[in-house]
Amino acid sequence: MTRRELLGTAALLPLQAQPARPNVLLVLSDDHSYPYLGCYGYPIRTPTLDKFAGDGLRCDRMFTAAPQCVPSRAAIMSGRMPVAIRMGRFSSPLPPEVVTFPELLREAGYFTGVCRRNYHLDGSGGATSQEMFDKHNMKTFAPRLDWVDRNSPRAQTANKMNEFFDKKPAEKPFFLWVNFNDPHHVWDANAIPEPYDPKTLPLPKHFPDVPGLREDFAKYLGEITRADDEFKTVLDVLAKRGFGGNTIVLFMGDNGMALPHGKGSLYDPGLNVPFLVRWPGVVNGGRATTELLSGEDIAPTVLDAVGLTPHKQMSGRSFLPLLRGQRYEGRRYIFGQRGPHGSAPMTASTRSSTFDLSRCVRTPRWKLIYNCTPQMEYSPVDSANDPGWKQVKEAHAAGKLPAALDKAYFTLPRPVLEFFDLDNDPSELNNLAGKPEHAAMQLELTRALQEKMILDYDFLPLPLAN
């Protein structure tokens, strides 16, 4: 089958008849959990993003499809869950037959590109993996775009954007994907001139209050402030090139923070990310929504917004009516998936940070997590060797952790099913799975998860519905 046959006919609609096709700019911060922007009410210095939120729509319940960068980005690009497109292994390249929304934009006449941090969709791993990817021509993402920059330093953001715009034909609208490094681990203690004071920071209730974790968290917040500075650079370039008035700008985290309960877990800090949209003349400024949104929904929404029909394989839902302020029937459920992380091999001492298999379904109030590898010892992704987690383990060994936190992080085996009432337990510490008074709601979510797993041809066994 040819590439055009895979893309279908949606991208070939007569957009030329439309007088002003909007440009699209997608900016992803890296490992950025909700609510860590000033516009969400957390005391952090993010003036650019706060003003940007005031000019557009602030979304409080955007959930990535996975709590890891590769599968999350694959879902954003494809409008499908990672397992449905064979991106369950972290180091996999995006399969060639998977259609992405930038390709559909390109077929419709858009000039498309990506810059700054690695986009993570051409596979990772050691020399052996890379050799095999090259041998079998498996690196297919870059050729889907007109212009590609990979892993340029932060100082080059403006230069790379200008390079893209210099190459863009004058008559073509554009799609540009800008990837930030911040606030990805390893955190820079000197990210900003005035670092945050660890002692004064409000901690989420799922954080054990130890000095090392406060220090890690302060560094993390510093990198978010630096990301705000980089976002200002992005907007400044856009304005100087004269594109500010006809560009849909989306700002989003690719997944949650690399701290306990975050990245690599299906708890909200791993999946719930900032999401802001500005579209002058279409999205009224100063609005906020608590509608459930998924990373699956980005692709069909962008296509819908520029006048294209989403590809028939996309399982995400367009929320264009929500952007326009029109009647919108929101999602009842969002779903999340966790698979292997990184490219390290399996050993007898491997912990959940490297290998874990789990699925979740969430409504506005309830969440069900299905752990298929409960025997894996919990460990936060990326930050397990930092002072914070080391001190948490020391507090556990000394019997000094609060009981709820000790149970959350050190129960082994972990429960196969976790069920949370998020209205009364937003920190997801009180597992209600199996409680008779919640049986009906647990059954509803279990069946919803079963259906999603079946539709996505998920390889995991289905959760029991009783």
Side-chain angles (χ1 to χ4, degrees):
M1 182 177 288
T2 67
R3 196 76 199 147
R4 176 153 292 188
E5 287 172 327
L6 283 171
L7 295 175
T9 60
L12 303 179
L13 297 176
L15 284 181
Q16 290 76 8
Q18 300 183 14
R21 293 181 288 173
N23 306 303
V24 181
L25 175 64
L26 171 64
V27 180
L28 288 189
S29 54
D30 203 312
D31 295 358
H32 189 174
S33 290
Y34 171 93
Y36 302 112
L37 290 177
C39 60
Y40 287 119
Y42 191 82
I44 183 173
R45 300 187 298 274
T46 51
T48 303
L49 284 159
D50 297 345
K51 182 181 183 305
F52 180 81
D55 293 337
L57 178 66
R58 189 197 79 208
C59 303
D60 294 6
R61 287 176 171 168
M62 167 58 81
F63 293 85
T64 58
Q68 310 147 270
C69 58
V70 174
S72 171
R73 290 162 188 251
I76 291 169
M77 290 292 112
S78 69
R80 303 169 66 186
M81 293 299 284
V83 71
I85 55 174
R86 296 187 288 131
M87 291 296 285
R89 185 163 56 84
F90 185 91
S91 55
S92 295
L94 189 69
E97 71 276 9
V98 174
V99 175
T100 63
F101 81 84
E103 293 175 89
L104 296 172
L105 294 176
R106 187 184 189 186
E107 283 289 307
Y110 276 69
F111 186 75
T112 61
V114 62
C115 70
R116 279 279 286 115
R117 178 168 168 77
N118 196 340
Y119 47 77
H120 290 303
L121 296 177
D122 270 335
S124 62
T128 300
S129 293
Q130 293 299 317
E131 178 185 342
M132 294 302 171
F133 297 155
D134 292 334
K135 176 182 177 180
H136 298 287
N137 298 313
M138 297 177 72
K139 297 179 180 179
T140 67
F141 190 75
R144 305 174 195 231
L145 301 169
D146 294 301
W147 180 86
V148 174
D149 168 66
R150 185 189 292 110
N151 281 335
S152 290
R154 185 183 305 104
Q156 290 296 310
T157 300
N159 289 341
K160 290 302 176 181
M161 289 184 67
N162 280 314
E163 183 179 329
F164 169 79
F165 290 133
D166 287 343
K167 293 183 180 297
K168 185 188 82 67
E171 74 280 4
K172 287 191 172 187
F174 70 82
F175 165 75
L176 179 61
W177 178 15
V178 181
N179 292 300
F180 291 176
N181 296 74
D182 290 332
H184 192 282
H185 188 271
V186 176
W187 302 303
D188 181 358
N190 300 312
I192 53 176
E194 298 180 14
Y196 292 97
D197 182 355
K199 297 184 181 65
T200 64
L201 293 174
L203 292 184
K205 291 183 179 179
H206 61 267
F207 273 13
D209 194 349
V210 297
L213 197 53
R214 282 187 168 276
E215 292 167 7
D216 292 342
F217 189 44
K219 295 175 188 176
Y220 173 77
L221 296 178
E223 291 207 355
I224 294 175
T225 291
R226 185 167 63 188
D228 186 80
D229 291 339
E230 186 171 5
F231 190 64
K232 183 179 185 303
T233 298
V234 170
L235 294 183
D236 286 348
V237 172
L238 192 71
K240 287 177 182 177
R241 301 298 294 228
F243 296 127
N246 191 36
T247 300
I248 305 169
V249 183
L250 307 100
F251 176 86
M252 180 179 177
D254 72 335
N255 54 252
M257 57 185 178
L259 285 164
H261 242 51
K263 183 177 182 179
S265 83
L266 296 179
Y267 303 114
D268 275 10
L271 296 173
N272 191 189
V273 295
F275 184 58
L276 312 173
V277 183
R278 188 186 76 182
W279 187 0
V282 178
V283 175
N284 292 329
R287 291 170 50 219
T289 179
T290 58
E291 291 283 358
L292 290 176
L293 304 174
S294 168
E296 284 183 284
D297 300 337
I298 299 297
T301 301
V302 169
L303 294 170
D304 198 8
V306 304
L308 296 176
T309 302
H311 194 275
K312 61 183 180 181
Q313 293 181 341
M314 292 179 175
S315 55
R317 296 179 50 193
S318 170
F319 53 86
L320 179 60
L322 182 66
L323 296 182
R324 293 185 179 277
Q326 300 168 345
R327 182 177 178 181
Y328 172 70
E329 184 177 349
R331 277 176 168 268
R332 170 64 175 166
Y333 310 108
I334 60 93
F335 302 90
Q337 303 176 353
R338 166 67 208 269
H341 191 84
S343 54
M346 189 76 171
T347 69
S349 59
T350 294
R351 295 169 295 178
S352 71
S353 52
T354 297
F355 183 81
D356 211 11
L357 300 176
S358 54
R359 306 288 185 258
C360 79
V361 55
R362 188 196 196 279
T363 72
R365 177 174 177 178
W366 304 93
K367 180 189 281 185
L368 177 74
I369 298 177
Y370 173 44
N371 297 308
C372 286
T373 45
Q375 74 281 4
M376 303 304 297
E377 177 187 349
Y378 175 75
S379 181
V381 171
D382 294 344
S383 63
N385 294 320
D386 286 1
W389 186 246
K390 288 182 177 179
Q391 291 178 18
V392 171
K393 290 197 296 182
E394 291 169 359
H396 163 68
K400 295 182 179 180
L401 280 183
L405 298 180
D406 198 79
K407 183 178 181 181
Y409 295 118
F410 295 100
T411 296
L412 198 67
R414 295 175 292 148
V416 172
L417 293 177
E418 297 176 80
F419 187 63
F420 299 106
D421 178 351
L422 300 169
D423 281 359
N424 295 304
D425 179 29
S427 297
E428 299 166 271
L429 296 173
N430 182 24
N431 183 10
L432 302 175
K435 300 288 186 181
E437 60 269 32
H438 302 301
M441 184 56 63
Q442 183 176 333
L443 177 61
E444 178 190 326
L445 267 64
T446 303
R447 286 179 172 169
L449 183 57
Q450 287 178 330
E451 181 178 31
K452 181 63 171 172
M453 292 173 69
I454 289 169
L455 290 173
D456 286 342
Y457 290 88
D458 202 322
F459 61 89
L460 291 180
L462 299 177
L464 290 175
N466 54 21

